[in-house]
Amino acid sequence: MRLRSPGLLLLLLGVLQAADAREQEVRALVGSDVQLSCVFPESTTFDLDDLYVYWQISAVGHPTTVTYYLSGNSSAGLEDNRYRDRAWLSPDSMRHGDFSLRLYNITPLDEQKFNCLVFRKSLQLQKILDVVVTLHVAANYSVPVVLAPRGPSEDAELTFTCTSVNGYPKPIVYWINKTDNSVLPEGLQNSTVVLNARGLYDVVSVLRIGWTPSASVGCCIGNVLLRQNLTGLCQTAETFTTPEPGNTGSHTDVRRREHGAVLSTLAVLGVVVAVAVATGWVCRSRCPRGFPTRCPAAKPERTIPGASGCEDQGAGVHLTAPTNCV
């Protein structure tokens, strides 16, 4: 029987069972190219005009054509638009029994079960090869960015935020105490994972711990599909010293207060020095010139008029300076 209608063949392919299909698994990174293997087990040379080759995926039970080969390419345009210009079969390889699919620019939507079906027209469309290849898609997450708190919150908690983007599939997120590399309890963190416009995942994880004078924590993002070491993608928040709750002033304010205290002390010392200098000046101005400030006070002496060269014609009292000043 020779089928000339590709549409009728697709209808038949939709009801074919793949009980004897061989299954494989392949992993590929987003944006890369991958080859899905479908090779005839025996060394045989094929006539391309005798072959129907189909690669399909099943979406909700309905087969969708990724690419195909028919003699004369009479059914061009039957492939799904998502794979147009992205899927390729090598005619030279197919002559030698290699019907592998080359898929370009992998996206998360390509994570599917791909079915390779090969029929020979000369054998009444007998199926000679049925291979299922499961494609797993992965993307590396960006290095986590960790923001440490500037100080304790009103309820005396420290809040750390970790962000990582453009990964696939969903990540495993955990925090560690860098002091002893122990894993912090999961209940201390709250992680949000969202699908972005590229079909990749972004994750934001918030860690809340009780107030402590210093803290050093690490945020870790794990990608199980890529078999990454879960401690290999960790970013550490810088160790820091936090002010005690209720004393959350900045370092600049503290320095300003210290500077003000020094100026106040210097001002007081200046006043003391000024008072001391003024007191000394007053004392000097009251003492007779040429006499030390420790001279005892002059004593009044009554003298007989005319007994000395200095007479007081008014009061009859003469003040004489002592001669034993020290």
Side-chain angles (χ1 to χ4, degrees):
M1 180 178 69
R2 185 180 296 273
L3 287 178
R4 299 183 181 275
S5 172
L8 179 58
L9 179 60
L10 287 176
L11 179 62
L12 292 175
L13 292 178
V15 299
L16 286 174
Q17 301 296 321
D20 56 344
R22 293 178 297 160
E23 295 193 10
Q24 307 173 22
E25 290 191 3
V26 177
R27 291 177 174 84
L29 287 174
V30 171
S32 67
D33 305 333
V34 67
Q35 180 165 301
L36 308 183
S37 178
C38 180
V39 181
F40 193 74
E42 300 174 7
S43 178
T44 305
T45 301
F46 292 93
D47 179 6
L48 295 182
D49 291 334
D50 190 37
L51 295 175
Y52 278 171
V53 180
Y54 279 85
W55 276 90
Q56 297 179 320
I57 57 175
S58 293
V60 196
H62 179 71
T64 299
T65 302
V66 175
T67 191
Y68 54 87
Y69 177 83
L70 297 176
S71 59
N73 198 24
S74 58
S75 58
L78 292 178
E79 71 273 9
D80 188 272
N81 289 333
R82 288 178 299 171
Y83 297 102
R84 188 167 296 172
D85 300 326
R86 293 181 52 223
W88 183 72
L89 295 172
S90 170
D92 291 338
S93 298
M94 288 192 294
R95 288 190 179 94
H96 298 89
D98 187 351
F99 306 98
S100 300
L101 170 67
R102 188 72 178 177
L103 199 58
Y104 300 94
N105 192 21
I106 298 299
T107 73
L109 295 177
D110 295 328
E111 190 166 67
Q112 303 273 355
K113 284 185 178 292
F114 290 79
N115 194 189
C116 171
L117 297 169
V118 181
F119 302 86
R120 293 191 64 177
K121 293 188 291 184
S122 62
L123 299 177
Q124 303 298 314
L125 287 179
Q126 179 182 346
K127 182 173 60 176
I128 63 171
L129 192 59
D130 188 349
V131 175
V132 175
V133 181
T134 300
L135 177 59
H136 299 285
V137 177
N140 286 306
Y141 283 87
S142 65
V143 175
V145 176
V146 181
L147 297 180
R150 295 181 180 272
S153 60
E154 295 180 356
D155 53 0
E157 281 187 340
L158 298 179
T159 302
F160 298 84
T161 303
C162 172
T163 304
S164 182
V165 299
N166 294 327
Y168 197 90
K170 287 185 177 182
I172 295 176
V173 185
Y174 66 97
W175 292 78
I176 60 175
N177 182 351
K178 293 298 291 182
T179 303
D180 56 7
N181 287 326
S182 61
V183 178
L184 295 173
E186 188 175 353
L188 298 177
Q189 73 181 54
N190 182 19
S191 301
T192 302
V193 181
V194 297
L195 202 62
N196 62 29
R198 298 178 55 190
L200 305 175
Y201 289 105
D202 298 339
V203 57
V204 176
S205 182
V206 178
L207 174 73
R208 291 184 175 88
I209 61 176
W211 183 88
T212 179
S214 62
S216 182
V217 298
C219 173
C220 305
I221 306 294
N223 193 322
V224 177
L225 187 60
L226 294 179
R227 298 177 180 176
Q228 291 175 334
N229 184 349
L230 295 182
T231 61
L233 231 159
C234 298
Q235 182 68 20
T236 303
E238 295 294 334
T239 303
F240 68 100
T241 300
T242 60
E244 295 183 0
N247 183 20
T248 58
S250 65
H251 295 294
T252 302
D253 294 336
V254 172
R255 287 195 296 270
R256 287 178 178 174
R257 289 195 293 268
E258 292 176 350
H259 185 63
V262 172
L263 291 179
S264 298
T265 303
L266 292 177
V268 172
L269 291 176
V271 172
V272 172
V273 171
V275 171
V277 171
T279 302
W281 181 83
V282 171
C283 290
R284 288 179 181 274
S285 64
R286 291 182 177 179
C287 290
R289 181 169 299 185
F291 290 94
T293 58
R294 293 187 297 167
C295 291
K299 296 181 180 180
E301 294 182 2
R302 186 171 299 275
T303 60
I304 300 174
S308 67
C310 294
E311 294 183 359
D312 188 345
Q313 300 295 332
V317 177
H318 182 66
L319 295 176
T320 60
T323 58
N324 59 343
C325 290
V326 295

